[in-house]
Amino acid sequence: MTGVLAQGDGTRAGDRPVDVDAVVVGAGPNGLAAAVTLAEAGWRVLVLEAASQPGGGLRTEELTLPGFRHDVCATVLALAAASPALRAYGADAAGADAPGAAAGGQAGPGGRAGPAGQAGPPVRWAHPPVPLAHPLDGRAAALLRRDVAATAAGLGAVAGGGRLAADPAGWARLLGPLVAAGPRLTDGVLSLLDLPPAAPFALARFGVVGVWPATALAGVALRGDAARALLGGLAAHSMLDLGQPMTAAYGLLLGVSAHQVGWPVAVGGSQSLADALVARLRALGGELVTGHPVTSLRELPPARAVLLDLTPRQVLRIAGDELPARYRAALARYRYGPGVFKVDWALDGPVPWRDEAVASAGTVHLGGTLAEVAAAERAVARGRHPERPFVLFVQATAADPTRAPEGRHTGWAYCHVPLGSTVDMTAAIEAQVERFAPGFRDRILARHTMGPAALEAHNANEIGGDIGGGTADLRQLVARPVLSRHPWATPLPGVYLCSSSTPPGAGTHGMSGYHAARLALRRAGVAG
């Protein structure tokens, strides 16, 4: 077939022959991971991306002022550092605080050690001194450190007295055995449909506690406001009502990743990880075409496989008339989760946290006690905007000072909002920061805000501001996007889904693309 495609620099190339084995639509982390997996198997791969720049949620821009580099979406790349699909691309920067199992240098699928022609992984992970802090009113903040025992001891020291006096061993008792299982546990959680499962006993232990609602598990397994708030904040990354089953699993997985590999950022910005994947693809002979939206499957050149890094709503737009009615109806029923409202700041100095220890944390959860966090997330799940939202705050310059001019800092934060919300949450977010960092507003040089509509305009996969590719409650975690042993496959021969709307779901791990590519290879008779 002759196709009209753009060159990699976005310029028009006119009619030219297109001879490929696979076409990947979408150059987010999942699409790029899929493309690299196929290219490593010897396939000729073409990636088509509608935006002018690849990366999807891995894009870095000067959103506020010159010299201030902000990640538009993902910044803290814990799952990338742990993921079998992506961990080969990063290594801890010199001097990084990295006790325990380190991700840098581990080979990914196929034993790769980094893009061809390079001596080692091209992305440098910068670790903040503390992965996560959760400030509390009137007392020291809860700190999640790389070491399990140090975390548990610290939680015991700040929990307070009375009947909720801390059990210093509680955190270690809950998280310790999961951390001790090593990377095989994370590998297994990110590949739950693989048979036989990796680390079956560790997965079983994870499942027994992970199936609980986060609020219930925190109440039973932990004592003290500090430990409970810390688990609740971790679980709130699920963007679900924390009283729902399985929300504990999200908190446990993120807690385990912090202890095993840390919560690093990429030096210079998350875009560097996308650039590394593109470099690997091109080194293997693959091609990336930007500025090329796809409106119909009929536009694509013939290929052995087509992989769509798109959510169900977009798949219906480009393939709906070719899909069987039953599958089409299932995709139409797919539910999207809450959106987010995000603010980026250029700051003239470090955030003036009331507890100075919080300045060492790369990520800060702002929401108070577990009860407060749960109430805020419950309100969003019911379609309301909480007055005191749970705020996820990232100060990347705590780990990577290259992101701002000398002496300056960046910060960003988001809160969850109902899908498609048009409410400006800037004041509510900044009030939560001021609650724990009085004088924060005085440090702001410039701000940039993105509500759900702006997020979707920047990344079409973020439908209504949903950065997770669809709600991930128990029902849709099992049927994502449909109930199937191979949910990446569609009824159309050779057409696969590879976005975060497929297992294992949200997160910068690339595993949805990796699993879809492996399935495509197996069905084509190639070992995957």
Side-chain angles (χ1 to χ4, degrees), residues 34 176 187 242 258 262 265 368 406 422 461 505:
D187 291 359
L242 300 188
V265 303
E406 186 175 358
T422 59
N461 275 13

Side-chain angles (χ1 to χ4, degrees), residues 144-227:
L144 195 162
R145 300 183 181 275
R146 290 289 299 274
D147 184 74
V148 176
T151 300
L155 292 173
V158 302
R163 66 182 183 87
L164 287 181
D167 170 10
W171 187 267
R173 192 164 50 243
L174 179 61
L175 274 292
L178 302 176
V179 174
R184 284 175 59 80
L185 173 62
T186 307
D187 291 359
V189 172
L190 295 176
S191 305
L192 281 176
L193 296 182
D194 278 2
L195 294 175
F201 296 109
L203 280 174
R205 182 171 192 137
F206 178 85
V208 166
V209 289
V211 73
W212 284 59
T215 49
L217 181 65
V220 169
L222 300 171
R223 279 196 284 167
D225 286 344

Side-chain angles (χ1 to χ4, degrees), residues 20-25 38 43-46 300-308 493-496 516-517 519-521 523-524:
V20 296
D21 294 302
V23 178
V24 178
V25 179
L38 294 169
W43 281 23
R44 296 158 298 178
V45 182
L46 170 66
L300 303 179
R304 301 167 75 180
V306 172
L307 286 80
L308 305 175
V495 178
Y496 302 86
L519 180 60
L521 290 169
R523 291 192 169 182

Side-chain angles (χ1 to χ4, degrees), residues 115-432:
Q118 297 200 33
V123 180
R124 290 186 297 143
W125 297 138
H127 290 265
V130 176
L132 171 67
H134 191 123
L136 295 164
D137 293 307
R139 68 183 76 175
L143 302 179
L144 195 162
R145 300 183 181 275
R146 290 289 299 274
D147 184 74
V148 176
T151 300
L155 292 173
V158 302
R163 66 182 183 87
L164 287 181
D167 170 10
W171 187 267
R173 192 164 50 243
L174 179 61
L175 274 292
L178 302 176
V179 174
R184 284 175 59 80
L185 173 62
T186 307
D187 291 359
V189 172
L190 295 176
S191 305
L192 281 176
L193 296 182
D194 278 2
L195 294 175
F201 296 109
L203 280 174
R205 182 171 192 137
F206 178 85
V208 166
V209 289
V211 73
W212 284 59
T215 49
L217 181 65
V220 169
L222 300 171
R223 279 196 284 167
D225 286 344
R228 290 176 174 177
L230 194 61
L231 181 62
L234 289 166
H237 284 249
S238 68
M239 301 177 72
L240 297 169
D241 180 339
L242 300 188
Q244 285 198 37
M246 287 296 296
T247 47
Y250 293 93
L252 293 172
L253 178 62
L254 290 175
V256 167
S257 72
H259 291 308
Q260 286 189 341
V261 301
W263 280 16
V265 303
V267 174
S270 295
Q271 183 72 47
S272 63
L273 178 54
D275 293 343
L277 287 161
V278 172
R280 176 63 171 165
L281 173 66
R282 287 177 168 154
L284 292 165
E287 182 180 4
L288 167 68
V289 177
T290 57
H292 188 93
V294 174
T295 60
S296 171
L297 290 182
R298 298 186 183 94
E299 300 173 11
L300 303 179
R304 301 167 75 180
V306 172
L307 286 80
L308 305 175
D309 185 7
L310 305 172
T311 75
R313 186 176 299 179
Q314 297 152 288
V315 173
L316 287 171
R317 288 175 188 160
I318 72 169
D321 57 345
E322 300 184 40
L323 295 168
R326 186 173 180 181
Y327 188 79
R328 208 164 53 234
L331 293 188
R333 291 193 298 269
Y334 188 79
R335 293 170 295 122
Y336 291 88
V340 302
F341 187 97
K342 180 173 181 279
V343 187
D344 285 272
W345 298 279
L347 304 172
D348 70 358
V351 178
W353 299 108
R354 182 177 281 115
D355 181 347
E356 294 180 356
V358 180
S360 297
T363 303
V364 187
H365 287 165
L366 303 173
T369 64
L370 170 62
E372 290 180 272
V373 172
E377 294 303 283
R378 187 181 310 116
V380 174
R382 295 176 179 176
R384 302 197 300 268
H385 297 79
E387 285 186 27
R388 280 189 162 187
F390 169 71
V391 171
L392 193 152
F393 186 99
V394 174
Q395 42 192 13
T397 40
D400 176 21
T402 70
R403 293 173 179 239
E406 186 175 358
R408 309 299 194 188
H409 288 262
T410 64
W412 70 250
Y414 71 63
C415 69
H416 301 148
V417 294
L419 185 70
S421 166
T422 59
V423 173
D424 186 337
M425 296 295 288
T426 305
I429 289 173
E430 292 186 353
Q432 283 287 64

Side-chain angles (χ1 to χ4, degrees), residues 40-68:
E40 287 180 336
W43 281 23
R44 296 158 298 178
V45 182
L46 170 66
V47 180
L48 301 177
E49 168 57 47
S52 61
Q53 185 177 4
L58 293 174
R59 282 185 274 178
T60 305
E61 301 175 10
E62 292 185 340
L63 295 175
T64 55
L65 297 172
F68 290 84

Side-chain angles (χ1 to χ4, degrees), residues 445-461:
L445 297 172
R447 68 169 59 82
H448 177 273
T449 63
M450 296 182 78
L455 287 164
E456 184 175 349
H458 187 270
N459 183 350
N461 275 13

